[in-house]
Amino acid sequence: MLNLVLFGPPGAGKGTQAEKIIEKYALKHFSTGDMLRKEIADKTDLGMQAKAFMEKGELVTDELVINIINSVIERNKEANGFIFDGFPRTQAQAKALDELLLKLNIPICAMISLEVEKQELVDRLVNRGKLSGRPDDSNIDVIENRIQVYNNQTAPLIEYYKAQNKHRGIYGMGTIEEIFDRICVEIEKVK
Ligand code: AMP
């Protein structure tokens, strides 16, 4: 089973590259951001709890996202493999994911970490906000906060996966195809 963590700051291109990886390798895609936005659109209790955090660019609680991930993995155990996009984002989430996958005997194969310069991230997010109207992409203060939250709370996970020898840094600047080719080279090595 091919299990990947697709990692990187907001605007690094995780969603775009996830779509291409899924198509090529037939993996099941888990984006906690997409799941949370669906909960908000459906006006569920969970969505209402998450909304205030997301609007500010803060992380929602570990408990909430870990519960979401646990339930979707349980329901998709027969998949070819998983791609985690935007999860884990904290050490507690990474540990919870490892424990769950250990129980199922399907460990993470690699963390594909997209590396993009800060100004490029801001430019991409501002552009995406204009096209999608996503509230957290439409406010420069929220964009800056998300990048800071990433640097403080999420980037340390690079060390967590390096310690497991699973970190694969990918230069995330250039065309979508160029970046995808670099990702595929790494996937082929762990497949
Ligand atoms: P994303 O679509 O991945 O950029 O996520 C959008 C927002 O959803 C983030 O800014 C967080 O508020 C929230 N979110 C998504 N995934 C997580 C996660 N794994 N842990 C905590 N908050 C998350």
Side-chain angles (χ1 to χ4, degrees), residues 66 87-88 90-102 157 160-161 164:
I66 291 168
F87 179 91
T90 64
Q91 185 113 342
Q93 292 178 21
K95 283 191 177 147
L97 181 63
D98 274 350
E99 277 165 26
L100 179 70
L101 294 180
L102 186 70
L157 288 184
Y160 179 92
Y161 285 97
Q164 297 188 7

Side-chain angles (χ1 to χ4, degrees), residues 6-7 11-18 20-21 112-117 120 124 168-187:
L6 189 56
F7 193 80
K14 298 186 294 293
T16 306
Q17 295 297 336
K20 297 179 71 65
I21 299 169
I112 305 286
S113 179
L114 297 173
E115 295 162 359
V116 177
E117 287 155 23
E120 173 77 10
R124 288 185 191 175
R168 304 284 181 272
I170 303 282
Y171 183 56
M173 308 276 288
T175 67
I176 291 173
E177 286 307 324
E178 282 166 352
I179 300 164
F180 182 57
D181 287 346
R182 291 177 203 136
I183 293 174
C184 291
V185 168
E186 293 303 324
I187 293 180

Side-chain angles (χ1 to χ4, degrees), residues 10 14 31-34 36-37 50 53-55 57-62 65 85-90 93 128 134 136 146:
K14 298 186 294 293
S31 156
T32 41
D34 286 349
L36 292 167
R37 280 184 288 277
F53 293 101
M54 292 171 73
E55 280 174 352
E58 298 292 331
L59 297 183
V60 308
T61 63
D62 285 332
V65 284
D85 162 4
F87 179 91
R89 262 176 154 103
T90 64
Q93 292 178 21
R128 189 168 77 184
R134 232 179 94 167
D136 57 348
R146 283 158 63 206

